[in-house]
């Protein structure tokens, strides 16, 4: 479906850019195969208006002109849609090159590299690369979850989705119907923020807990997309970043470095174990479970119980 729409938009853009005079809806419908296949005039009109709006959102300047007979025509003048000269300096070019490198492990690698090549062909200066292949410092955003690409496209196209999601303390996943807003990476994990239709509230989902395929659904969003989506702040609060209490845990020596970086105190216990005091907030139990047998919760008792419940749920699955 996405490929068919992209092809239709491309054909419409080519028609509008290639004409020397305004083209009417009737002429455009006769020139584009997808419009010819529209069931009736109403279906074509809705499709054409959506496509016209999409092209304008992408930056194409489309003029609406009325001729002497009162008919409305459309065209996109080449001089109005010509990109200005590239005026990036060496530092700006280096920043773009670095940004393109970040996505080399993801499905966006081809698009990032292609965009960089087009900018260089248009006159962007070659910048000295601070991240040579032999360098030990390489910027990366890891994307291993199969759900990333369909969710990224759904966020871009404002399309509702459904997927099976397993909470940290659940034995089995359950289906969620979500209007996706944005994706964000935090501490090496990707999260989706969106509107959960079943719960009627904003929710944040960790992509690694999505089971199976992400399925797109027809229809418009039912909730307004906020101007600013605070994925990171929400996840940080779940992970104890805004904690007001302290937890005491035992951690196997040589493991759990993310926990050690947040510890307020570390004491060697011997026999391969250390004792740590770390900030305690909502969601810390889910994070501790990820370290498996390398972590033992000493106190508080409610945190220890929550971690045990999560481990039992995983063991039953």
């Amino acid at each position: 479906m996405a490929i068919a729409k992209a092809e239709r938009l491309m054909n419409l853009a080519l028609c509008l850019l290639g004409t020397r005079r305004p083209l009417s809806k009737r002429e455009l419908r006769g020139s584009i195969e997808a419009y010819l296949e529209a069931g009736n005039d109403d279906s074509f009109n809705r499709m054409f208006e959506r496509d016209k709006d999409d092209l304008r959102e992408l930056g194409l300047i489309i003029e609406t002109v009325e001729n002497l007979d009162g008919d409305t025509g459309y065209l996109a003048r080449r001089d109005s849609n010509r990109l200005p000269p590239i005026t990036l300096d060496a530092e700006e070019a280096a920043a773009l090159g670095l940004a393109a490198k970040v996505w080399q492990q993801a499905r966006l690698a081809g698009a990032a590299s292609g965009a960089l090549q087009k900018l260089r062909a248009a006159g962007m200066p070659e910048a000295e690369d601070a991240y040579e292949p032999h360098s030990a410092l390489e910027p990366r955003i890891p994307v291993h979850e199969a759900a990333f690409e369909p969710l990224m496209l759904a966020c871009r196209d404002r399309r509702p989705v459904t997927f099976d999601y397993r909470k940290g303390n659940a034995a089995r996943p359950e289906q969620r119907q979500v209007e996706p807003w944005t994706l964000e990476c935090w501490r090496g994990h990707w999260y989706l923020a969106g509107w959960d239709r079943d719960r009627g509230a904003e929710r944040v989902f960790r992509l690694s807990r999505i089971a199976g395929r992400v399925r797109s659904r027809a229809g418009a969003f039912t909730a307004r997309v906020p101007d600013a989506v605070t994925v990171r702040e929400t996840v940080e609060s779940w992970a104890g970043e805004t904690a007001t209490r302290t937890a005491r845990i035992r951690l196997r020596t040589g493991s759990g470095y993310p926990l050690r970086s947040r510890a307020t105190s570390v004491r060697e216990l011997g026999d391969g174990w250390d004792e740590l005091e770390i900030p305690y907030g909502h969601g810390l139990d889910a994070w501790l479970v990820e370290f498996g047998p390398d972590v033992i919760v000493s106190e508080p008792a409610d945190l220890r119980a929550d971690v045990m419940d999560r481990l039992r749920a995983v063991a039953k699955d």
Side-chain angles (χ1 to χ4, degrees):
M1 184 182 298
I3 295 176
K5 180 178 180 179
E7 183 179 355
R8 194 174 71 240
L9 290 175
M10 179 65 72
N11 288 335
L12 177 58
L14 290 174
C15 284
L16 295 175
L17 287 167
T19 182
R20 295 184 177 181
R21 62 174 180 82
L23 297 176
S24 65
K25 282 187 179 181
R26 178 178 53 80
E27 291 174 311
L28 289 168
R29 186 175 187 181
S31 303
I32 299 174
E33 184 176 357
Y35 290 157
L36 288 172
E37 297 174 354
N40 51 52
D41 290 342
D42 289 338
S43 297
F44 160 68
N45 286 330
R46 289 194 298 270
M47 186 184 301
F48 174 73
E49 293 301 325
R50 285 197 302 268
D51 290 349
K52 182 158 55 69
D53 291 341
D54 288 343
L55 286 177
R56 281 173 169 160
E57 283 189 18
L58 291 171
L60 189 68
I61 300 175
I62 301 175
E63 297 182 24
T64 301
V65 181
E66 287 193 11
N67 59 26
L68 296 177
D69 297 329
D71 292 335
T72 302
Y74 305 89
L75 81 162
R77 301 184 192 278
R78 290 182 177 270
D79 55 351
S80 300
N81 288 282
R82 185 175 292 113
L83 288 174
I86 302 298
T87 57
L88 299 175
D89 58 28
E91 291 184 355
E92 292 170 329
L96 284 176
L98 180 60
K101 280 180 173 290
V102 166
W103 292 104
Q104 286 183 4
Q105 287 182 332
R107 291 289 299 272
L108 296 176
S113 299
L116 200 59
Q117 290 176 0
K118 291 177 181 178
L119 285 171
R120 286 171 176 164
M124 185 182 78
E126 292 282 349
E128 182 178 352
D129 193 353
Y131 297 90
E132 294 293 338
H134 60 268
S135 173
L137 185 60
E138 285 287 339
R140 291 290 185 269
I141 293 182
V143 180
H144 305 296
E145 296 88 352
F148 176 83
E149 186 173 4
L151 287 176
M152 178 194 68
L153 296 175
C155 290
R156 183 196 68 185
D157 299 336
R158 293 287 187 259
R159 284 185 286 106
V161 296
T162 61
F163 49 78
D164 294 333
Y165 187 76
R166 174 177 171 174
K167 294 192 294 185
N169 59 350
R172 291 182 177 81
E174 60 179 11
Q175 188 177 89
R176 311 295 282 267
Q177 300 185 62
V178 179
E179 298 172 11
W181 294 342
T182 188
L183 290 162
E184 186 163 339
C185 186
W186 186 78
R187 292 190 183 275
H189 297 289
W190 279 98
Y191 295 87
L192 167 74
W195 182 260
D196 190 318
R197 287 182 169 179
D198 296 322
R199 289 154 182 79
E202 176 184 350
R203 288 291 186 269
V204 173
F205 305 91
R206 182 162 152 175
L207 266 60
S208 60
R209 292 179 182 160
I210 295 178
R213 189 169 62 90
V214 175
R215 299 170 293 279
S216 298
R217 289 291 178 261
F221 281 12
T222 60
R224 185 186 69 84
V225 180
D227 296 331
V229 183
T230 56
V231 180
R232 183 165 305 216
E233 292 178 12
T234 301
V235 177
E236 285 177 352
S237 65
W238 288 359
E241 296 291 318
T242 56
T244 57
R245 303 167 61 188
T246 300
R248 187 160 53 88
I249 66 172
R250 294 174 62 192
L251 182 64
R252 199 181 301 275
T253 302
S255 65
Y257 291 103
L259 291 173
R260 294 179 185 275
S261 66
R262 295 188 53 218
T264 56
S265 68
V266 180
R267 182 168 65 92
E268 293 185 9
L269 298 178
D271 297 329
W273 290 90
D274 300 325
E275 184 178 75
L276 283 69
E277 291 189 358
I278 59 176
Y280 173 30
H282 176 66
L284 179 61
D285 54 334
W287 193 29
L288 293 178
V289 167
E290 296 179 11
F291 296 92
D294 292 332
V295 169
I296 299 175
V297 179
S298 300
E299 58 182 33
D302 55 347
L303 175 61
R304 180 181 176 87
D306 289 341
V307 170
M308 294 298 294
D309 288 342
R310 289 178 179 273
L311 290 173
R312 290 191 188 100
V314 173
K316 288 179 182 178
D317 189 29

